Coordinates of all heavy atoms in Angstrom, one line a residue:
M1 N 103.6 75.0 96.0 CA 104.8 75.7 96.4 C 105.1 76.8 95.4 O 105.0 76.6 94.2 CB 105.9 74.7 96.4 CG 107.1 75.1 97.2 SD 106.7 75.4 98.9 CE 107.9 74.6 99.8
P2 N 105.3 78.0 95.9 CA 105.6 79.1 94.9 C 106.9 78.9 94.2 O 107.9 78.3 94.7 CB 105.7 80.3 95.8 CG 106.0 79.8 97.2 CD 105.4 78.5 97.3
A3 N 107.1 79.5 93.0 CA 108.3 79.4 92.3 C 109.4 80.3 92.9 O 110.6 80.0 92.8 CB 108.1 79.8 90.8
E4 N 108.9 81.3 93.6 CA 109.9 82.3 94.2 C 109.5 82.3 95.7 O 108.4 82.1 96.1 CB 109.7 83.7 93.7 CG 109.9 83.8 92.2 CD 109.6 85.3 91.8 OE1 110.1 86.2 92.4 OE2 108.9 85.4 90.8
F5 N 110.5 82.5 96.5 CA 110.3 82.5 98.0 C 110.2 84.0 98.4 O 111.1 84.5 99.1 CB 111.4 81.8 98.7 CG 111.3 80.3 98.5 CD1 112.1 79.7 97.5 CD2 110.4 79.5 99.1 CE1 111.9 78.3 97.2 CE2 110.2 78.2 98.9 CZ 111.0 77.6 97.9
Q6 N 109.2 84.6 98.0 CA 108.9 86.0 98.3 C 107.4 86.1 98.7 O 106.6 85.3 98.2 CB 109.2 87.0 97.2 CG 110.7 87.0 96.8 CD 111.0 87.9 95.7 OE1 110.1 88.4 95.0 NE2 112.2 88.2 95.4
A7 N 107.1 87.1 99.5 CA 105.7 87.1 100.0 C 104.7 87.2 98.8 O 103.6 86.6 98.8 CB 105.5 88.3 100.9
D8 N 105.0 88.0 97.8 CA 104.0 88.2 96.7 C 103.8 86.9 95.9 O 102.7 86.6 95.5 CB 104.5 89.3 95.7 CG 104.5 90.7 96.4 OD1 103.7 90.9 97.3 OD2 105.2 91.5 95.9
A9 N 104.9 86.1 95.8 CA 104.7 84.8 95.1 C 103.9 83.8 95.9 O 103.1 83.1 95.4 CB 106.1 84.3 94.8
L10 N 104.2 83.8 97.2 CA 103.4 83.0 98.1 C 101.9 83.4 98.1 O 101.0 82.5 98.0 CB 103.9 83.0 99.5 CG 103.2 82.2 100.6 CD1 103.3 80.7 100.2 CD2 103.8 82.4 101.9
L11 N 101.7 84.6 98.1 CA 100.3 85.1 98.1 C 99.6 84.7 96.8 O 98.5 84.2 96.8 CB 100.2 86.6 98.2 CG 98.9 87.3 98.2 CD1 97.9 86.7 99.2 CD2 99.0 88.8 98.3
G12 N 100.3 84.8 95.7 CA 99.7 84.4 94.4 C 99.4 82.9 94.4 O 98.4 82.5 93.8
T13 N 100.2 82.1 95.1 CA 99.9 80.7 95.1 C 98.8 80.3 96.0 O 98.0 79.5 95.7 CB 101.2 79.9 95.7 OG1 102.3 80.2 94.8 CG2 101.0 78.4 95.8
L14 N 98.6 81.0 97.2 CA 97.6 80.8 98.1 C 96.3 81.5 97.9 O 95.3 81.1 98.4 CB 98.1 81.2 99.5 CG 99.2 80.4 100.1 CD1 99.7 80.9 101.4 CD2 98.8 78.9 100.3
E15 N 96.3 82.5 97.0 CA 95.1 83.3 96.8 C 93.8 82.6 96.5 O 92.8 82.9 97.0 CB 95.4 84.3 95.7 CG 94.5 85.5 95.7 CD 95.0 86.6 94.8 OE1 96.1 86.4 94.1 OE2 94.4 87.7 94.8
Q16 N 93.9 81.5 95.8 CA 92.7 80.7 95.4 C 92.2 80.0 96.6 O 91.0 79.6 96.6 CB 93.1 79.7 94.3 CG 93.5 80.4 93.0 CD 93.9 79.4 92.0 OE1 93.8 78.2 92.2 NE2 94.4 79.9 90.9
E17 N 93.0 79.7 97.7 CA 92.5 79.0 98.8 C 91.9 79.9 99.9 O 91.3 79.4 100.9 CB 93.7 78.2 99.5 CG 94.4 77.3 98.5 CD 93.6 76.2 98.0 OE1 92.7 75.7 98.8 OE2 93.7 75.8 96.8
L18 N 92.2 81.2 99.8 CA 91.8 82.2 100.8 C 90.3 82.6 100.6 O 89.9 82.8 99.5 CB 92.7 83.4 100.8 CG 94.2 83.1 101.0 CD1 95.0 84.3 100.8 CD2 94.4 82.5 102.4
R19 N 89.6 82.8 101.7 CA 88.2 83.2 101.7 C 88.0 84.4 102.6 O 88.6 84.5 103.7 CB 87.3 82.1 102.2 CG 87.4 80.8 101.4 CD 86.8 80.9 100.0 NE 87.1 79.7 99.2 CZ 87.9 79.6 98.2 NH1 88.7 80.6 97.9 NH2 88.1 78.5 97.5
A20 N 87.2 85.4 102.1 CA 86.9 86.5 102.9 C 86.4 86.1 104.3 O 85.7 85.1 104.4 CB 85.8 87.4 102.2
G21 N 86.8 86.9 105.3 CA 86.4 86.6 106.7 C 87.5 85.7 107.4 O 87.4 85.7 108.6
Q22 N 88.4 85.1 106.7 CA 89.4 84.3 107.4 C 90.4 85.2 108.1 O 90.6 86.3 107.7 CB 90.1 83.4 106.4 CG 89.3 82.3 105.8 CD 90.2 81.4 104.8 OE1 90.8 82.0 104.0 NE2 90.1 80.1 104.9
K23 N 90.9 84.6 109.2 CA 92.0 85.4 109.9 C 93.3 84.9 109.5 O 93.5 83.7 109.3 CB 91.8 85.2 111.4 CG 90.5 85.7 111.9 CD 90.3 85.5 113.4 CE 89.0 86.1 113.9 NZ 88.9 86.0 115.3
V24 N 94.3 85.8 109.3 CA 95.6 85.5 108.8 C 96.6 86.1 109.8 O 96.6 87.3 110.1 CB 95.9 86.0 107.4 CG1 97.3 85.7 107.0 CG2 94.9 85.4 106.4
L25 N 97.5 85.3 110.3 CA 98.7 85.8 111.1 C 99.8 85.8 110.1 O 100.2 84.8 109.5 CB 99.0 84.8 112.2 CG 100.2 85.2 113.1 CD1 100.0 86.6 113.7 CD2 100.5 84.2 114.1
L26 N 100.4 87.0 109.9 CA 101.4 87.3 108.9 C 102.8 87.6 109.6 O 103.0 88.8 109.9 CB 101.0 88.4 108.0 CG 101.8 88.6 106.7 CD1 101.9 87.4 105.8 CD2 101.3 89.8 106.0
P27 N 103.6 86.6 109.9 CA 104.9 87.0 110.4 C 105.8 87.6 109.3 O 105.9 87.0 108.2 CB 105.5 85.6 110.9 CG 104.7 84.6 110.1 CD 103.4 85.2 109.7
T28 N 106.5 88.7 109.6 CA 107.3 89.4 108.6 C 108.6 89.9 109.2 O 108.8 89.9 110.4 CB 106.5 90.6 108.0 OG1 106.3 91.5 109.1 CG2 105.2 90.1 107.4
A29 N 109.4 90.4 108.3 CA 110.6 91.1 108.8 C 110.2 92.6 109.0 O 109.2 93.0 108.5 CB 111.7 91.1 107.7
D30 N 111.1 93.3 109.7 CA 110.8 94.7 109.9 C 110.8 95.5 108.7 O 110.2 96.6 108.6 CB 111.7 95.3 111.0 CG 113.2 95.2 110.5 OD1 113.6 94.3 109.8 OD2 114.0 96.0 111.0
I31 N 111.4 95.0 107.6 CA 111.5 95.8 106.4 C 110.6 95.2 105.3 O 110.8 95.5 104.1 CB 113.0 95.9 105.9 CG1 113.5 94.5 105.6 CG2 113.8 96.7 106.8 CD1 114.9 94.5 104.9
A32 N 109.6 94.4 105.7 CA 108.8 93.7 104.7 C 107.9 94.8 104.0 O 107.5 95.8 104.5 CB 107.9 92.7 105.4
K33 N 107.6 94.5 102.7 CA 106.8 95.4 101.9 C 105.4 95.3 102.4 O 104.9 94.3 103.0 CB 106.8 94.9 100.4 CG 108.1 95.1 99.7 CD 108.0 94.9 98.3 CE 107.9 93.4 97.9 NZ 107.8 93.1 96.5
A34 N 104.7 96.4 102.3 CA 103.3 96.5 102.8 C 102.3 95.9 101.8 O 101.1 95.8 102.1 CB 102.9 98.0 103.1
S35 N 102.7 95.5 100.7 CA 101.8 95.0 99.6 C 101.1 93.8 100.0 O 99.9 93.6 99.7 CB 102.6 94.8 98.3 OG 103.6 93.8 98.4
S36 N 101.7 92.8 100.7 CA 101.0 91.6 101.1 C 99.9 91.8 102.0 O 98.8 91.3 101.8 CB 102.0 90.5 101.6 OG 102.9 90.1 100.6
P37 N 100.1 92.5 103.2 CA 99.0 92.7 104.1 C 97.9 93.5 103.4 O 96.7 93.2 103.6 CB 99.6 93.5 105.2 CG 101.1 93.3 105.2 CD 101.4 93.0 103.7
S38 N 98.2 94.5 102.6 CA 97.2 95.3 101.9 C 96.4 94.4 100.9 O 95.2 94.5 100.9 CB 97.9 96.4 101.1 OG 98.5 97.3 101.9
R39 N 97.1 93.5 100.2 CA 96.4 92.6 99.3 C 95.4 91.7 100.0 O 94.3 91.4 99.6 CB 97.4 91.9 98.4 CG 96.7 90.9 97.4 CD 96.0 91.7 96.3 NE 95.3 90.7 95.5 CZ 94.0 90.8 95.1 NH1 93.3 91.8 95.5 NH2 93.5 89.9 94.4
L40 N 95.9 91.1 101.1 CA 95.1 90.2 102.0 C 93.9 90.9 102.5 O 92.8 90.4 102.5 CB 95.9 89.7 103.1 CG 97.0 88.7 102.7 CD1 97.9 88.4 103.9 CD2 96.5 87.4 102.2
T41 N 94.0 92.2 102.9 CA 92.9 93.0 103.4 C 91.9 93.2 102.3 O 90.7 93.1 102.4 CB 93.4 94.3 104.0 OG1 94.3 94.0 105.1 CG2 92.2 95.1 104.5
E42 N 92.4 93.5 101.1 CA 91.6 93.7 99.9 C 90.7 92.5 99.6 O 89.6 92.5 99.1 CB 92.4 94.1 98.7 CG 93.0 95.4 98.7 CD 94.0 95.6 97.5 OE1 94.1 94.8 96.6 OE2 94.7 96.7 97.6
L43 N 91.3 91.3 99.9 CA 90.6 90.0 99.7 C 89.6 89.7 100.7 O 88.9 88.7 100.7 CB 91.6 88.9 99.6 CG 92.5 88.9 98.4 CD1 93.6 87.8 98.5 CD2 91.7 88.7 97.1
G44 N 89.5 90.6 101.8 CA 88.5 90.4 102.8 C 89.0 89.7 104.0 O 88.2 89.2 104.8
L45 N 90.3 89.5 104.1 CA 90.8 88.7 105.3 C 91.1 89.7 106.4 O 91.4 90.8 106.2 CB 92.1 88.0 104.8 CG 91.8 86.8 103.9 CD1 92.1 87.1 102.5 CD2 92.5 85.6 104.4
E46 N 91.1 89.1 107.6 CA 91.5 89.9 108.8 C 92.9 89.6 109.1 O 93.3 88.5 109.4 CB 90.6 89.4 110.0 CG 90.9 90.2 111.3 CD 90.0 89.7 112.4 OE1 88.8 89.4 112.2 OE2 90.5 89.7 113.5
V47 N 93.8 90.6 108.9 CA 95.2 90.4 108.9 C 95.8 90.9 110.2 O 95.6 92.1 110.6 CB 95.9 91.0 107.7 CG1 97.4 90.8 107.7 CG2 95.3 90.6 106.4
T48 N 96.6 90.1 110.9 CA 97.5 90.5 112.0 C 98.9 90.3 111.6 O 99.4 89.2 111.4 CB 97.2 89.6 113.3 OG1 95.8 89.8 113.6 CG2 98.0 90.1 114.4
K49 N 99.6 91.4 111.4 CA 101.0 91.4 110.9 C 101.9 91.6 112.1 O 101.7 92.5 113.0 CB 101.2 92.6 109.9 CG 102.6 92.7 109.4 CD 102.8 93.9 108.5 CE 104.2 94.2 108.1 NZ 105.0 94.7 109.2
I50 N 102.9 90.7 112.3 CA 103.8 90.7 113.4 C 105.2 90.7 112.8 O 105.6 89.8 112.1 CB 103.6 89.5 114.3 CG1 102.2 89.5 114.9 CG2 104.6 89.6 115.4 CD1 101.9 88.3 115.7
D51 N 106.0 91.7 113.2 CA 107.4 91.7 112.8 C 108.1 90.8 113.7 O 108.2 91.0 115.0 CB 108.0 93.1 112.9 CG 107.5 94.1 111.9 OD1 106.9 93.7 110.9 OD2 107.6 95.3 112.2
I52 N 108.6 89.6 113.2 CA 109.3 88.6 114.0 C 110.8 88.7 114.0 O 111.5 88.0 114.8 CB 108.8 87.2 113.7 CG1 109.1 86.8 112.3 CG2 107.3 87.1 114.0 CD1 108.9 85.4 112.0
Y53 N 111.3 89.4 113.0 CA 112.8 89.5 113.0 C 113.2 90.9 112.4 O 112.4 91.5 111.7 CB 113.5 88.4 112.3 CG 113.2 88.2 110.9 CD1 114.1 88.8 109.9 CD2 112.2 87.4 110.4 CE1 113.8 88.6 108.6 CE2 111.9 87.2 109.1 CZ 112.7 87.8 108.1 OH 112.5 87.7 106.8
E54 N 114.4 91.3 112.8 CA 114.9 92.6 112.3 C 116.1 92.4 111.4 O 117.0 91.6 111.8 CB 115.3 93.4 113.6 CG 115.9 94.8 113.2 CD 116.3 95.5 114.5 OE1 116.3 94.9 115.6 OE2 116.7 96.7 114.3
T55 N 116.1 93.0 110.3 CA 117.2 92.9 109.4 C 118.2 93.9 109.7 O 117.9 95.1 109.8 CB 116.7 93.1 107.9 OG1 115.7 92.1 107.6 CG2 117.8 92.9 106.9
V56 N 119.4 93.5 110.0 CA 120.5 94.4 110.4 C 121.7 94.2 109.5 O 122.0 93.1 109.0 CB 120.9 94.2 111.9 CG1 119.8 94.6 112.8 CG2 121.4 92.9 112.2
L57 N 122.5 95.2 109.3 CA 123.7 95.1 108.5 C 124.8 94.7 109.5 O 125.1 95.4 110.5 CB 124.0 96.5 107.9 CG 125.3 96.6 107.1 CD1 125.3 95.6 106.0 CD2 125.6 98.0 106.6
E58 N 125.4 93.6 109.2 CA 126.6 93.1 110.0 C 127.9 93.4 109.3 O 128.0 93.0 108.2 CB 126.4 91.6 110.3 CG 127.5 91.0 111.0 CD 127.7 91.6 112.4 OE1 126.8 91.5 113.2 OE2 128.8 92.1 112.7
T59 N 128.7 94.1 110.0 CA 130.0 94.5 109.3 C 131.2 93.7 109.9 O 132.2 93.6 109.2 CB 130.3 96.0 109.5 OG1 130.3 96.3 110.9 CG2 129.2 96.8 108.8
D60 N 131.1 93.1 111.1 CA 132.2 92.3 111.6 C 132.3 91.0 110.8 O 131.4 90.3 110.4 CB 131.9 91.9 113.1 CG 131.9 93.1 114.0 OD1 132.5 94.1 113.6 OD2 131.3 93.0 115.1
G61 N 133.6 90.7 110.4 CA 133.9 89.5 109.7 C 133.6 89.6 108.2 O 133.7 88.6 107.5
G62 N 133.4 90.8 107.7 CA 133.1 91.0 106.3 C 134.2 90.5 105.4 O 133.9 89.9 104.4
E63 N 135.4 90.8 105.8 CA 136.6 90.4 104.9 C 136.6 88.8 104.9 O 136.9 88.3 103.8 CB 137.9 90.9 105.5 CG 139.1 90.6 104.7 CD 139.0 91.2 103.2 OE1 138.4 92.3 103.1 OE2 139.5 90.6 102.3
E64 N 136.3 88.1 105.9 CA 136.3 86.7 105.9 C 135.3 86.1 105.0 O 135.5 85.2 104.3 CB 136.1 86.1 107.3 CG 137.2 86.4 108.3 CD 136.8 86.0 109.7 OE1 136.0 85.1 109.9 OE2 137.4 86.5 110.7
V65 N 134.1 86.8 105.0 CA 133.0 86.3 104.1 C 133.4 86.5 102.6 O 133.2 85.6 101.8 CB 131.7 87.1 104.4 CG1 130.7 86.8 103.4 CG2 131.2 86.8 105.8
I66 N 134.0 87.7 102.3 CA 134.5 87.9 100.9 C 135.5 86.9 100.5 O 135.5 86.4 99.4 CB 135.0 89.4 100.8 CG1 133.9 90.4 101.0 CG2 135.7 89.6 99.5 CD1 134.3 91.8 101.2
Q67 N 136.5 86.7 101.4 CA 137.6 85.7 101.0 C 137.0 84.3 100.9 O 137.4 83.6 100.0 CB 138.6 85.7 102.1 CG 139.5 87.0 102.1 CD 140.5 87.0 103.2 OE1 140.7 86.1 104.0 NE2 141.3 88.1 103.2
S68 N 136.1 83.9 101.7 CA 135.4 82.6 101.6 C 134.7 82.5 100.3 O 134.7 81.5 99.6 CB 134.5 82.4 102.8 OG 133.9 81.2 102.7
A69 N 133.9 83.5 99.9 CA 133.2 83.5 98.7 C 134.1 83.4 97.5 O 133.8 82.9 96.4 CB 132.3 84.8 98.6
Q70 N 135.3 84.0 97.6 CA 136.3 83.9 96.5 C 137.1 82.7 96.6 O 138.0 82.5 95.7 CB 137.2 85.2 96.6 CG 136.4 86.4 96.3 CD 137.3 87.7 96.5 OE1 138.3 87.7 97.2 NE2 136.8 88.8 95.9
G71 N 136.9 81.8 97.5 CA 137.6 80.5 97.6 C 138.9 80.6 98.3 O 139.8 79.7 98.1
R72 N 139.2 81.6 99.0 CA 140.5 81.8 99.7 C 140.2 81.6 101.2 O 139.2 81.9 101.7 CB 141.1 83.2 99.5 CG 141.3 83.5 98.0 CD 142.0 84.8 97.8 NE 141.2 85.8 98.5 CZ 141.2 87.1 98.1 NH1 141.8 87.5 97.1 NH2 140.5 88.0 98.8
K73 N 141.3 81.2 101.9 CA 141.2 81.1 103.4 C 141.4 82.5 104.0 O 142.2 83.3 103.5 CB 142.4 80.2 103.9 CG 142.0 78.8 104.0 CD 143.0 78.1 104.8 CE 142.4 76.8 105.4 NZ 143.4 76.1 106.1
A74 N 140.7 82.7 105.1 CA 140.8 84.0 105.8 C 142.0 84.0 106.7 O 142.5 83.1 107.1 CB 139.5 84.2 106.6

């Protein structure tokens, strides 16, 4: 298990298990860094990257979230 929950940390953990020629399905966010697919390709893997979710800025309810984080009722 990686110490950090980021793609680069996961790759570092799995790198020893990966072999050239293997196929990898890489589910990512729409804003994911390109470094992981590039590194996997450099290792000789066949990478299929799929954006499975979109990161969006939600502004509705922002004041409630701030108040909740500060320990106050909204």
Side-chain angles (χ1 to χ4, degrees):
M1 198 60 132
E4 299 175 52
F5 292 97
Q6 295 178 352
D8 293 337
L10 179 60
L11 179 57
T13 301
L14 294 176
E15 198 166 4
Q16 296 174 6
E17 305 296 323
L18 302 173
R19 303 289 175 253
Q22 289 179 315
K23 295 180 181 182
V24 176
L25 177 63
L26 187 63
T28 64
D30 60 332
I31 60 170
K33 294 190 281 183
S35 60
S36 293
S38 296
R39 180 67 184 131
L40 291 169
T41 301
E42 289 171 9
L43 293 171
L45 289 101
E46 183 180 324
V47 181
T48 301
K49 179 181 168 291
I50 300 174
D51 293 340
I52 61 167
Y53 64 94
E54 178 182 9
T55 304
V56 296
L57 177 60
E58 178 59 58
T59 57
D60 292 339
E63 185 60 34
E64 292 174 25
V65 171
I66 292 169
Q67 289 178 0
S68 178
Q70 293 174 340
R72 301 183 308 210
K73 269 192 156 179

